[in-house]
PDB file of all heavy atoms in Angstrom:
ATOM      1  N   GLY A  54       0.798   6.850  12.258  1.00 91.00           N
ATOM      2  CA  GLY A  54       0.272   8.213  12.198  1.00 91.00           C
ATOM      3  C   GLY A  54      -1.211   8.318  12.477  1.00 91.00           C
ATOM      4  O   GLY A  54      -1.751   9.430  12.564  1.00 91.00           O
ATOM      5  N   LEU A  55      -1.895   7.190  12.652  1.00 92.00           N
ATOM      6  CA  LEU A  55      -3.323   7.236  12.957  1.00 92.00           C
ATOM      7  C   LEU A  55      -3.555   7.755  14.372  1.00 92.00           C
ATOM      8  O   LEU A  55      -2.817   7.425  15.300  1.00 92.00           O
ATOM      9  CB  LEU A  55      -3.941   5.847  12.805  1.00 92.00           C
ATOM     10  CG  LEU A  55      -3.926   5.233  11.387  1.00 92.00           C
ATOM     11  CD1 LEU A  55      -4.526   3.831  11.426  1.00 92.00           C
ATOM     12  CD2 LEU A  55      -4.683   6.117  10.419  1.00 92.00           C
ATOM     13  N   GLN A  56      -4.554   8.565  14.539  1.00 90.00           N
ATOM     14  CA  GLN A  56      -4.876   9.129  15.850  1.00 90.00           C
ATOM     15  C   GLN A  56      -5.508   8.058  16.738  1.00 90.00           C
ATOM     16  O   GLN A  56      -6.431   7.353  16.320  1.00 90.00           O
ATOM     17  CB  GLN A  56      -5.856  10.299  15.691  1.00 90.00           C
ATOM     18  CG  GLN A  56      -5.284  11.493  14.925  1.00 90.00           C
ATOM     19  CD  GLN A  56      -4.136  12.146  15.659  1.00 90.00           C
ATOM     20  OE1 GLN A  56      -4.131  12.196  16.904  1.00 90.00           O
ATOM     21  NE2 GLN A  56      -3.148  12.627  14.903  1.00 90.00           N
ATOM     22  N   PRO A  57      -5.032   7.933  17.988  1.00 89.00           N
ATOM     23  CA  PRO A  57      -5.612   6.928  18.912  1.00 89.00           C
ATOM     24  C   PRO A  57      -7.090   7.158  19.182  1.00 89.00           C
ATOM     25  O   PRO A  57      -7.834   6.225  19.504  1.00 89.00           O
ATOM     26  CB  PRO A  57      -4.773   7.093  20.179  1.00 89.00           C
ATOM     27  CG  PRO A  57      -3.499   7.727  19.707  1.00 89.00           C
ATOM     28  CD  PRO A  57      -3.878   8.620  18.590  1.00 89.00           C
ATOM     29  N   SER A  58      -7.504   8.427  19.043  1.00 90.00           N
ATOM     30  CA  SER A  58      -8.888   8.763  19.382  1.00 90.00           C
ATOM     31  C   SER A  58      -9.871   8.515  18.242  1.00 90.00           C
ATOM     32  O   SER A  58     -11.052   8.848  18.362  1.00 90.00           O
ATOM     33  CB  SER A  58      -8.961  10.233  19.799  1.00 90.00           C
ATOM     34  OG  SER A  58      -8.494  11.079  18.745  1.00 90.00           O
ATOM     35  N   MET A  59      -9.388   7.960  17.147  1.00 90.00           N
ATOM     36  CA  MET A  59     -10.283   7.721  16.002  1.00 90.00           C
ATOM     37  C   MET A  59     -11.378   6.733  16.361  1.00 90.00           C
ATOM     38  O   MET A  59     -11.154   5.789  17.127  1.00 90.00           O
ATOM     39  CB  MET A  59      -9.492   7.169  14.806  1.00 90.00           C
ATOM     40  CG  MET A  59      -8.559   8.166  14.140  1.00 90.00           C
ATOM     41  SD  MET A  59      -7.678   7.402  12.757  1.00 90.00           S
ATOM     42  CE  MET A  59      -9.038   7.084  11.633  1.00 90.00           C
ATOM     43  N   ALA A  60     -12.561   6.958  15.790  1.00 93.00           N
ATOM     44  CA  ALA A  60     -13.653   6.012  15.976  1.00 93.00           C
ATOM     45  C   ALA A  60     -13.278   4.698  15.302  1.00 93.00           C
ATOM     46  O   ALA A  60     -12.514   4.663  14.331  1.00 93.00           O
ATOM     47  CB  ALA A  60     -14.937   6.571  15.368  1.00 93.00           C
ATOM     48  N   GLU A  61     -13.840   3.611  15.821  1.00 92.00           N
ATOM     49  CA  GLU A  61     -13.467   2.294  15.329  1.00 92.00           C
ATOM     50  C   GLU A  61     -13.756   2.142  13.844  1.00 92.00           C
ATOM     51  O   GLU A  61     -12.948   1.590  13.085  1.00 92.00           O
ATOM     52  CB  GLU A  61     -14.220   1.216  16.111  1.00 92.00           C
ATOM     53  CG  GLU A  61     -13.814  -0.215  15.762  1.00 92.00           C
ATOM     54  CD  GLU A  61     -12.360  -0.507  16.088  1.00 92.00           C
ATOM     55  OE1 GLU A  61     -11.779   0.200  16.940  1.00 92.00           O
ATOM     56  OE2 GLU A  61     -11.796  -1.436  15.478  1.00 92.00           O
ATOM     57  N   GLY A  62     -14.902   2.652  13.399  1.00 93.00           N
ATOM     58  CA  GLY A  62     -15.254   2.547  11.977  1.00 93.00           C
ATOM     59  C   GLY A  62     -14.285   3.329  11.097  1.00 93.00           C
ATOM     60  O   GLY A  62     -13.876   2.852  10.028  1.00 93.00           O
ATOM     61  N   ASP A  63     -13.901   4.529  11.582  1.00 92.00           N
ATOM     62  CA  ASP A  63     -12.955   5.334  10.821  1.00 92.00           C
ATOM     63  C   ASP A  63     -11.588   4.664  10.772  1.00 92.00           C
ATOM     64  O   ASP A  63     -10.891   4.717   9.751  1.00 92.00           O
ATOM     65  CB  ASP A  63     -12.822   6.727  11.442  1.00 92.00           C
ATOM     66  CG  ASP A  63     -14.102   7.541  11.291  1.00 92.00           C
ATOM     67  OD1 ASP A  63     -14.914   7.209  10.404  1.00 92.00           O
ATOM     68  OD2 ASP A  63     -14.293   8.504  12.069  1.00 92.00           O
ATOM     69  N   ARG A  64     -11.195   4.035  11.905  1.00 93.00           N
ATOM     70  CA  ARG A  64      -9.893   3.360  11.944  1.00 93.00           C
ATOM     71  C   ARG A  64      -9.864   2.188  10.940  1.00 93.00           C
ATOM     72  O   ARG A  64      -8.875   1.976  10.247  1.00 93.00           O
ATOM     73  CB  ARG A  64      -9.604   2.866  13.358  1.00 93.00           C
ATOM     74  CG  ARG A  64      -8.292   2.051  13.482  1.00 93.00           C
ATOM     75  CD  ARG A  64      -8.034   1.678  14.928  1.00 93.00           C
ATOM     76  NE  ARG A  64      -7.685   2.854  15.702  1.00 93.00           N
ATOM     77  CZ  ARG A  64      -6.453   3.368  15.777  1.00 93.00           C
ATOM     78  NH1 ARG A  64      -5.455   2.770  15.117  1.00 93.00           N
ATOM     79  NH2 ARG A  64      -6.211   4.441  16.488  1.00 93.00           N
ATOM     80  N   ILE A  65     -10.930   1.432  10.926  1.00 93.00           N
ATOM     81  CA  ILE A  65     -10.997   0.294  10.002  1.00 93.00           C
ATOM     82  C   ILE A  65     -10.886   0.770   8.556  1.00 93.00           C
ATOM     83  O   ILE A  65     -10.160   0.183   7.740  1.00 93.00           O
ATOM     84  CB  ILE A  65     -12.301  -0.490  10.225  1.00 93.00           C
ATOM     85  CG1 ILE A  65     -12.278  -1.168  11.605  1.00 93.00           C
ATOM     86  CG2 ILE A  65     -12.510  -1.518   9.113  1.00 93.00           C
ATOM     87  CD1 ILE A  65     -13.586  -1.828  11.974  1.00 93.00           C
ATOM     88  N   GLU A  66     -11.593   1.880   8.231  1.00 94.00           N
ATOM     89  CA  GLU A  66     -11.545   2.422   6.861  1.00 94.00           C
ATOM     90  C   GLU A  66     -10.146   2.949   6.543  1.00 94.00           C
ATOM     91  O   GLU A  66      -9.628   2.739   5.440  1.00 94.00           O
ATOM     92  CB  GLU A  66     -12.568   3.542   6.704  1.00 94.00           C
ATOM     93  CG  GLU A  66     -12.592   4.207   5.328  1.00 94.00           C
ATOM     94  CD  GLU A  66     -12.953   3.257   4.201  1.00 94.00           C
ATOM     95  OE1 GLU A  66     -13.556   2.201   4.469  1.00 94.00           O
ATOM     96  OE2 GLU A  66     -12.632   3.572   3.040  1.00 94.00           O
ATOM     97  N   ALA A  67      -9.523   3.612   7.527  1.00 94.00           N
ATOM     98  CA  ALA A  67      -8.172   4.133   7.309  1.00 94.00           C
ATOM     99  C   ALA A  67      -7.175   3.001   7.100  1.00 94.00           C
ATOM    100  O   ALA A  67      -6.298   3.075   6.227  1.00 94.00           O
ATOM    101  CB  ALA A  67      -7.747   5.001   8.498  1.00 94.00           C
ATOM    102  N   LEU A  68      -7.313   1.930   7.888  1.00 94.00           N
ATOM    103  CA  LEU A  68      -6.413   0.784   7.729  1.00 94.00           C
ATOM    104  C   LEU A  68      -6.616   0.115   6.372  1.00 94.00           C
ATOM    105  O   LEU A  68      -5.651  -0.363   5.754  1.00 94.00           O
ATOM    106  CB  LEU A  68      -6.647  -0.220   8.859  1.00 94.00           C
ATOM    107  CG  LEU A  68      -6.172   0.227  10.254  1.00 94.00           C
ATOM    108  CD1 LEU A  68      -6.620  -0.748  11.322  1.00 94.00           C
ATOM    109  CD2 LEU A  68      -4.646   0.378  10.284  1.00 94.00           C
ATOM    110  N   ARG A  69      -7.850   0.077   5.922  1.00 95.00           N
ATOM    111  CA  ARG A  69      -8.129  -0.514   4.618  1.00 95.00           C
ATOM    112  C   ARG A  69      -7.427   0.294   3.519  1.00 95.00           C
ATOM    113  O   ARG A  69      -6.822  -0.271   2.585  1.00 95.00           O
ATOM    114  CB  ARG A  69      -9.628  -0.549   4.353  1.00 95.00           C
ATOM    115  CG  ARG A  69     -10.008  -1.253   3.034  1.00 95.00           C
ATOM    116  CD  ARG A  69     -11.477  -1.067   2.713  1.00 95.00           C
ATOM    117  NE  ARG A  69     -11.806   0.328   2.463  1.00 95.00           N
ATOM    118  CZ  ARG A  69     -11.538   0.957   1.314  1.00 95.00           C
ATOM    119  NH1 ARG A  69     -10.923   0.302   0.330  1.00 95.00           N
ATOM    120  NH2 ARG A  69     -11.864   2.217   1.162  1.00 95.00           N
ATOM    121  N   LYS A  70      -7.481   1.636   3.609  1.00 95.00           N
ATOM    122  CA  LYS A  70      -6.834   2.492   2.614  1.00 95.00           C
ATOM    123  C   LYS A  70      -5.320   2.332   2.655  1.00 95.00           C
ATOM    124  O   LYS A  70      -4.652   2.338   1.602  1.00 95.00           O
ATOM    125  CB  LYS A  70      -7.214   3.956   2.846  1.00 95.00           C
ATOM    126  CG  LYS A  70      -8.670   4.270   2.519  1.00 95.00           C
ATOM    127  CD  LYS A  70      -8.971   5.746   2.730  1.00 95.00           C
ATOM    128  CE  LYS A  70     -10.422   6.068   2.361  1.00 95.00           C
ATOM    129  NZ  LYS A  70     -10.739   7.503   2.565  1.00 95.00           N
ATOM    130  N   ILE A  71      -4.790   2.154   3.877  1.00 95.00           N
ATOM    131  CA  ILE A  71      -3.335   1.946   3.993  1.00 95.00           C
ATOM    132  C   ILE A  71      -2.937   0.636   3.337  1.00 95.00           C
ATOM    133  O   ILE A  71      -1.943   0.563   2.605  1.00 95.00           O
ATOM    134  CB  ILE A  71      -2.898   1.971   5.472  1.00 95.00           C
ATOM    135  CG1 ILE A  71      -3.066   3.385   6.044  1.00 95.00           C
ATOM    136  CG2 ILE A  71      -1.461   1.490   5.622  1.00 95.00           C
ATOM    137  CD1 ILE A  71      -2.827   3.473   7.530  1.00 95.00           C
ATOM    138  N   ASP A  72      -3.729  -0.423   3.565  1.00 95.00           N
ATOM    139  CA  ASP A  72      -3.428  -1.716   2.945  1.00 95.00           C
ATOM    140  C   ASP A  72      -3.512  -1.622   1.421  1.00 95.00           C
ATOM    141  O   ASP A  72      -2.692  -2.232   0.712  1.00 95.00           O
ATOM    142  CB  ASP A  72      -4.398  -2.777   3.460  1.00 95.00           C
ATOM    143  CG  ASP A  72      -4.151  -3.127   4.923  1.00 95.00           C
ATOM    144  OD1 ASP A  72      -3.041  -2.847   5.418  1.00 95.00           O
ATOM    145  OD2 ASP A  72      -5.078  -3.668   5.559  1.00 95.00           O
ATOM    146  N   ASP A  73      -4.500  -0.869   0.939  1.00 96.00           N
ATOM    147  CA  ASP A  73      -4.617  -0.672  -0.523  1.00 96.00           C
ATOM    148  C   ASP A  73      -3.389   0.058  -1.065  1.00 96.00           C
ATOM    149  O   ASP A  73      -2.867  -0.291  -2.136  1.00 96.00           O
ATOM    150  CB  ASP A  73      -5.876   0.135  -0.854  1.00 96.00           C
ATOM    151  CG  ASP A  73      -7.153  -0.670  -0.635  1.00 96.00           C
ATOM    152  OD1 ASP A  73      -7.073  -1.909  -0.528  1.00 96.00           O
ATOM    153  OD2 ASP A  73      -8.238  -0.039  -0.564  1.00 96.00           O
ATOM    154  N   ALA A  74      -2.922   1.091  -0.330  1.00 95.00           N
ATOM    155  CA  ALA A  74      -1.746   1.850  -0.766  1.00 95.00           C
ATOM    156  C   ALA A  74      -0.506   0.970  -0.775  1.00 95.00           C
ATOM    157  O   ALA A  74       0.343   1.072  -1.675  1.00 95.00           O
ATOM    158  CB  ALA A  74      -1.537   3.071   0.134  1.00 95.00           C
ATOM    159  N   VAL A  75      -0.383   0.102   0.208  1.00 95.00           N
ATOM    160  CA  VAL A  75       0.771  -0.801   0.277  1.00 95.00           C
ATOM    161  C   VAL A  75       0.737  -1.761  -0.904  1.00 95.00           C
ATOM    162  O   VAL A  75       1.773  -2.018  -1.551  1.00 95.00           O
ATOM    163  CB  VAL A  75       0.783  -1.564   1.610  1.00 95.00           C
ATOM    164  CG1 VAL A  75       1.826  -2.683   1.576  1.00 95.00           C
ATOM    165  CG2 VAL A  75       1.063  -0.612   2.771  1.00 95.00           C
ATOM    166  N   ARG A  76      -0.435  -2.323  -1.182  1.00 96.00           N
ATOM    167  CA  ARG A  76      -0.548  -3.244  -2.309  1.00 96.00           C
ATOM    168  C   ARG A  76      -0.226  -2.537  -3.631  1.00 96.00           C
ATOM    169  O   ARG A  76       0.454  -3.096  -4.501  1.00 96.00           O
ATOM    170  CB  ARG A  76      -1.952  -3.845  -2.357  1.00 96.00           C
ATOM    171  CG  ARG A  76      -2.169  -4.969  -1.367  1.00 96.00           C
ATOM    172  CD  ARG A  76      -3.461  -5.706  -1.655  1.00 96.00           C
ATOM    173  NE  ARG A  76      -4.622  -4.871  -1.413  1.00 96.00           N
ATOM    174  CZ  ARG A  76      -5.244  -4.767  -0.227  1.00 96.00           C
ATOM    175  NH1 ARG A  76      -4.801  -5.473   0.813  1.00 96.00           N
ATOM    176  NH2 ARG A  76      -6.289  -4.003  -0.083  1.00 96.00           N
ATOM    177  N   LYS A  77      -0.722  -1.305  -3.764  1.00 95.00           N
ATOM    178  CA  LYS A  77      -0.424  -0.537  -4.981  1.00 95.00           C
ATOM    179  C   LYS A  77       1.070  -0.260  -5.094  1.00 95.00           C
ATOM    180  O   LYS A  77       1.659  -0.346  -6.175  1.00 95.00           O
ATOM    181  CB  LYS A  77      -1.191   0.782  -5.000  1.00 95.00           C
ATOM    182  CG  LYS A  77      -0.972   1.594  -6.278  1.00 95.00           C
ATOM    183  CD  LYS A  77      -1.760   2.889  -6.261  1.00 95.00           C
ATOM    184  CE  LYS A  77      -1.616   3.646  -7.587  1.00 95.00           C
ATOM    185  NZ  LYS A  77      -0.220   3.930  -7.951  1.00 95.00           N
ATOM    186  N   ASN A  78       1.719   0.060  -3.975  1.00 96.00           N
ATOM    187  CA  ASN A  78       3.150   0.330  -3.997  1.00 96.00           C
ATOM    188  C   ASN A  78       3.927  -0.921  -4.412  1.00 96.00           C
ATOM    189  O   ASN A  78       4.885  -0.847  -5.187  1.00 96.00           O
ATOM    190  CB  ASN A  78       3.614   0.802  -2.621  1.00 96.00           C
ATOM    191  CG  ASN A  78       5.096   1.091  -2.585  1.00 96.00           C
ATOM    192  OD1 ASN A  78       5.589   1.988  -3.267  1.00 96.00           O
ATOM    193  ND2 ASN A  78       5.825   0.315  -1.792  1.00 96.00           N
ATOM    194  N   VAL A  79       3.508  -2.071  -3.902  1.00 96.00           N
ATOM    195  CA  VAL A  79       4.160  -3.328  -4.277  1.00 96.00           C
ATOM    196  C   VAL A  79       4.020  -3.560  -5.790  1.00 96.00           C
ATOM    197  O   VAL A  79       4.982  -3.954  -6.459  1.00 96.00           O
ATOM    198  CB  VAL A  79       3.549  -4.506  -3.485  1.00 96.00           C
ATOM    199  CG1 VAL A  79       3.988  -5.838  -4.070  1.00 96.00           C
ATOM    200  CG2 VAL A  79       3.948  -4.412  -2.012  1.00 96.00           C
ATOM    201  N   GLN A  80       2.824  -3.306  -6.302  1.00 96.00           N
ATOM    202  CA  GLN A  80       2.608  -3.493  -7.731  1.00 96.00           C
ATOM    203  C   GLN A  80       3.410  -2.488  -8.553  1.00 96.00           C
ATOM    204  O   GLN A  80       3.987  -2.829  -9.599  1.00 96.00           O
ATOM    205  CB  GLN A  80       1.117  -3.357  -8.068  1.00 96.00           C
ATOM    206  CG  GLN A  80       0.756  -3.748  -9.495  1.00 96.00           C
ATOM    207  CD  GLN A  80       1.087  -5.197  -9.789  1.00 96.00           C
ATOM    208  OE1 GLN A  80       0.668  -6.105  -9.069  1.00 96.00           O
ATOM    209  NE2 GLN A  80       1.851  -5.438 -10.852  1.00 96.00           N
ATOM    210  N   ASP A  81       3.464  -1.231  -8.084  1.00 96.00           N
ATOM    211  CA  ASP A  81       4.240  -0.205  -8.788  1.00 96.00           C
ATOM    212  C   ASP A  81       5.715  -0.576  -8.833  1.00 96.00           C
ATOM    213  O   ASP A  81       6.380  -0.418  -9.875  1.00 96.00           O
ATOM    214  CB  ASP A  81       4.077   1.157  -8.106  1.00 96.00           C
ATOM    215  CG  ASP A  81       2.708   1.780  -8.357  1.00 96.00           C
ATOM    216  OD1 ASP A  81       1.998   1.305  -9.266  1.00 96.00           O
ATOM    217  OD2 ASP A  81       2.359   2.745  -7.650  1.00 96.00           O
ATOM    218  N   ASN A  82       6.262  -1.053  -7.708  1.00 97.00           N
ATOM    219  CA  ASN A  82       7.666  -1.475  -7.678  1.00 97.00           C
ATOM    220  C   ASN A  82       7.915  -2.622  -8.659  1.00 97.00           C
ATOM    221  O   ASN A  82       8.905  -2.638  -9.390  1.00 97.00           O
ATOM    222  CB  ASN A  82       8.060  -1.917  -6.263  1.00 97.00           C
ATOM    223  CG  ASN A  82       8.191  -0.750  -5.304  1.00 97.00           C
ATOM    224  OD1 ASN A  82       8.401   0.392  -5.720  1.00 97.00           O
ATOM    225  ND2 ASN A  82       8.056  -1.031  -4.012  1.00 97.00           N
ATOM    226  N   THR A  83       6.997  -3.590  -8.639  1.00 97.00           N
ATOM    227  CA  THR A  83       7.134  -4.749  -9.512  1.00 97.00           C
ATOM    228  C   THR A  83       7.143  -4.335 -10.982  1.00 97.00           C
ATOM    229  O   THR A  83       7.991  -4.778 -11.779  1.00 97.00           O
ATOM    230  CB  THR A  83       5.995  -5.751  -9.255  1.00 97.00           C
ATOM    231  OG1 THR A  83       6.007  -6.146  -7.883  1.00 97.00           O
ATOM    232  CG2 THR A  83       6.137  -6.969 -10.140  1.00 97.00           C
ATOM    233  N   ASN A  84       6.187  -3.459 -11.357  1.00 97.00           N
ATOM    234  CA  ASN A  84       6.099  -3.009 -12.746  1.00 97.00           C
ATOM    235  C   ASN A  84       7.303  -2.166 -13.149  1.00 97.00           C
ATOM    236  O   ASN A  84       7.854  -2.339 -14.243  1.00 97.00           O
ATOM    237  CB  ASN A  84       4.811  -2.208 -12.952  1.00 97.00           C
ATOM    238  CG  ASN A  84       3.576  -3.086 -12.968  1.00 97.00           C
ATOM    239  OD1 ASN A  84       3.634  -4.243 -13.378  1.00 97.00           O
ATOM    240  ND2 ASN A  84       2.453  -2.560 -12.506  1.00 97.00           N
ATOM    241  N   LEU A  85       7.705  -1.234 -12.270  1.00 97.00           N
ATOM    242  CA  LEU A  85       8.807  -0.343 -12.608  1.00 97.00           C
ATOM    243  C   LEU A  85      10.115  -1.120 -12.768  1.00 97.00           C
ATOM    244  O   LEU A  85      10.876  -0.885 -13.716  1.00 97.00           O
ATOM    245  CB  LEU A  85       8.943   0.740 -11.540  1.00 97.00           C
ATOM    246  CG  LEU A  85      10.029   1.799 -11.770  1.00 97.00           C
ATOM    247  CD1 LEU A  85       9.876   2.446 -13.143  1.00 97.00           C
ATOM    248  CD2 LEU A  85       9.990   2.855 -10.669  1.00 97.00           C
ATOM    249  N   LEU A  86      10.372  -2.040 -11.848  1.00 97.00           N
ATOM    250  CA  LEU A  86      11.593  -2.844 -11.959  1.00 97.00           C
ATOM    251  C   LEU A  86      11.566  -3.711 -13.225  1.00 97.00           C
ATOM    252  O   LEU A  86      12.580  -3.873 -13.906  1.00 97.00           O
ATOM    253  CB  LEU A  86      11.757  -3.721 -10.721  1.00 97.00           C
ATOM    254  CG  LEU A  86      12.270  -2.995  -9.462  1.00 97.00           C
ATOM    255  CD1 LEU A  86      12.096  -3.872  -8.233  1.00 97.00           C
ATOM    256  CD2 LEU A  86      13.724  -2.600  -9.636  1.00 97.00           C
ATOM    257  N   GLY A  87      10.405  -4.259 -13.547  1.00 96.00           N
ATOM    258  CA  GLY A  87      10.294  -5.040 -14.771  1.00 96.00           C
ATOM    259  C   GLY A  87      10.557  -4.191 -16.003  1.00 96.00           C
ATOM    260  O   GLY A  87      11.251  -4.614 -16.932  1.00 96.00           O
ATOM    261  N   TYR A  88      10.006  -2.986 -16.003  1.00 97.00           N
ATOM    262  CA  TYR A  88      10.214  -2.078 -17.133  1.00 97.00           C
ATOM    263  C   TYR A  88      11.690  -1.721 -17.286  1.00 97.00           C
ATOM    264  O   TYR A  88      12.207  -1.617 -18.407  1.00 97.00           O
ATOM    265  CB  TYR A  88       9.381  -0.809 -16.917  1.00 97.00           C
ATOM    266  CG  TYR A  88       9.679   0.295 -17.888  1.00 97.00           C
ATOM    267  CD1 TYR A  88       9.133   0.294 -19.167  1.00 97.00           C
ATOM    268  CD2 TYR A  88      10.533   1.344 -17.533  1.00 97.00           C
ATOM    269  CE1 TYR A  88       9.423   1.315 -20.066  1.00 97.00           C
ATOM    270  CE2 TYR A  88      10.822   2.360 -18.423  1.00 97.00           C
ATOM    271  CZ  TYR A  88      10.268   2.344 -19.691  1.00 97.00           C
ATOM    272  OH  TYR A  88      10.563   3.352 -20.576  1.00 97.00           O
ATOM    273  N   LEU A  89      12.394  -1.532 -16.153  1.00 97.00           N
ATOM    274  CA  LEU A  89      13.801  -1.137 -16.173  1.00 97.00           C
ATOM    275  C   LEU A  89      14.744  -2.314 -16.409  1.00 97.00           C
ATOM    276  O   LEU A  89      15.960  -2.139 -16.462  1.00 97.00           O
ATOM    277  CB  LEU A  89      14.174  -0.438 -14.863  1.00 97.00           C
ATOM    278  CG  LEU A  89      13.453   0.890 -14.600  1.00 97.00           C
ATOM    279  CD1 LEU A  89      13.746   1.382 -13.183  1.00 97.00           C
ATOM    280  CD2 LEU A  89      13.878   1.946 -15.618  1.00 97.00           C
ATOM    281  N   GLY A  90      14.189  -3.512 -16.522  1.00 95.00           N
ATOM    282  CA  GLY A  90      15.005  -4.680 -16.796  1.00 95.00           C
ATOM    283  C   GLY A  90      15.556  -5.361 -15.559  1.00 95.00           C
ATOM    284  O   GLY A  90      16.454  -6.204 -15.653  1.00 95.00           O
ATOM    285  N   GLY A  91      15.021  -5.034 -14.382  1.00 95.00           N
ATOM    286  CA  GLY A  91      15.468  -5.641 -13.142  1.00 95.00           C
ATOM    287  C   GLY A  91      14.544  -6.768 -12.703  1.00 95.00           C
ATOM    288  O   GLY A  91      13.545  -7.067 -13.373  1.00 95.00           O
ATOM    289  N   PRO A  92      14.838  -7.378 -11.566  1.00 95.00           N
ATOM    290  CA  PRO A  92      13.959  -8.428 -11.033  1.00 95.00           C
ATOM    291  C   PRO A  92      12.640  -7.826 -10.564  1.00 95.00           C
ATOM    292  O   PRO A  92      12.625  -6.802  -9.876  1.00 95.00           O
ATOM    293  CB  PRO A  92      14.761  -8.996  -9.856  1.00 95.00           C
ATOM    294  CG  PRO A  92      15.677  -7.888  -9.455  1.00 95.00           C
ATOM    295  CD  PRO A  92      16.022  -7.141 -10.697  1.00 95.00           C
ATOM    296  N   ARG A  93      11.547  -8.457 -10.910  1.00 94.00           N
ATOM    297  CA  ARG A  93      10.229  -7.908 -10.577  1.00 94.00           C
ATOM    298  C   ARG A  93       9.888  -8.256  -9.128  1.00 94.00           C
ATOM    299  O   ARG A  93       9.238  -9.246  -8.844  1.00 94.00           O
ATOM    300  CB  ARG A  93       9.185  -8.427 -11.558  1.00 94.00           C
ATOM    301  CG  ARG A  93       9.521  -8.087 -13.002  1.00 94.00           C
ATOM    302  CD  ARG A  93       8.423  -8.481 -13.975  1.00 94.00           C
ATOM    303  NE  ARG A  93       7.221  -7.678 -13.796  1.00 94.00           N
ATOM    304  CZ  ARG A  93       6.312  -7.461 -14.740  1.00 94.00           C
ATOM    305  NH1 ARG A  93       6.490  -7.975 -15.949  1.00 94.00           N
ATOM    306  NH2 ARG A  93       5.235  -6.754 -14.496  1.00 94.00           N
ATOM    307  N   ARG A  94      10.332  -7.359  -8.221  1.00 94.00           N
ATOM    308  CA  ARG A  94      10.093  -7.558  -6.792  1.00 94.00           C
ATOM    309  C   ARG A  94       9.254  -6.418  -6.244  1.00 94.00           C
ATOM    310  O   ARG A  94       9.470  -5.256  -6.576  1.00 94.00           O
ATOM    311  CB  ARG A  94      11.421  -7.627  -6.029  1.00 94.00           C
ATOM    312  CG  ARG A  94      12.262  -8.854  -6.366  1.00 94.00           C
ATOM    313  CD  ARG A  94      13.319  -9.078  -5.274  1.00 94.00           C
ATOM    314  NE  ARG A  94      14.272  -7.983  -5.266  1.00 94.00           N
ATOM    315  CZ  ARG A  94      15.503  -8.065  -5.798  1.00 94.00           C
ATOM    316  NH1 ARG A  94      15.878  -9.196  -6.399  1.00 94.00           N
ATOM    317  NH2 ARG A  94      16.326  -7.054  -5.733  1.00 94.00           N
ATOM    318  N   GLY A  95       8.337  -6.768  -5.367  1.00 95.00           N
ATOM    319  CA  GLY A  95       7.479  -5.752  -4.761  1.00 95.00           C
ATOM    320  C   GLY A  95       8.165  -4.980  -3.654  1.00 95.00           C
ATOM    321  O   GLY A  95       7.836  -3.807  -3.411  1.00 95.00           O
ATOM    322  N   GLU A  96       9.136  -5.607  -2.959  1.00 94.00           N
ATOM    323  CA  GLU A  96       9.892  -4.929  -1.905  1.00 94.00           C
ATOM    324  C   GLU A  96      11.382  -5.077  -2.219  1.00 94.00           C
ATOM    325  O   GLU A  96      12.073  -5.945  -1.670  1.00 94.00           O
ATOM    326  CB  GLU A  96       9.563  -5.517  -0.534  1.00 94.00           C
ATOM    327  CG  GLU A  96       8.137  -5.242  -0.091  1.00 94.00           C
ATOM    328  CD  GLU A  96       7.900  -5.663   1.351  1.00 94.00           C
ATOM    329  OE1 GLU A  96       8.872  -6.069   2.031  1.00 94.00           O
ATOM    330  OE2 GLU A  96       6.748  -5.577   1.796  1.00 94.00           O
TER     331      GLU A  96
END
């Protein structure tokens, strides 16, 4: 969904935020599954 016309600095910052969101999602999945008594998996 990133615009091809984005400046390089903006693209790098956007990619960094996406990586942070992915890591947070992995952690959220791990915690939620652990809380529910399932295997603690990020994906």
Side-chain angles (χ1 to χ4, degrees):
L55 296 178
Q56 296 295 326
S58 59
M59 290 180 66
E61 185 63 22
D63 292 339
R64 176 176 290 276
I65 293 173
E66 179 62 21
L68 289 172
R69 184 189 65 78
K70 290 182 178 180
I71 292 173
D72 290 340
D73 289 344
V75 170
R76 281 192 293 271
K77 183 179 184 304
N78 180 64
V79 168
Q80 189 61 53
D81 287 345
N82 287 337
T83 302
N84 287 329
L85 182 53
L86 283 167
Y88 170 81
L89 296 172
R93 302 186 68 155
R94 293 198 294 258
E96 293 188 6

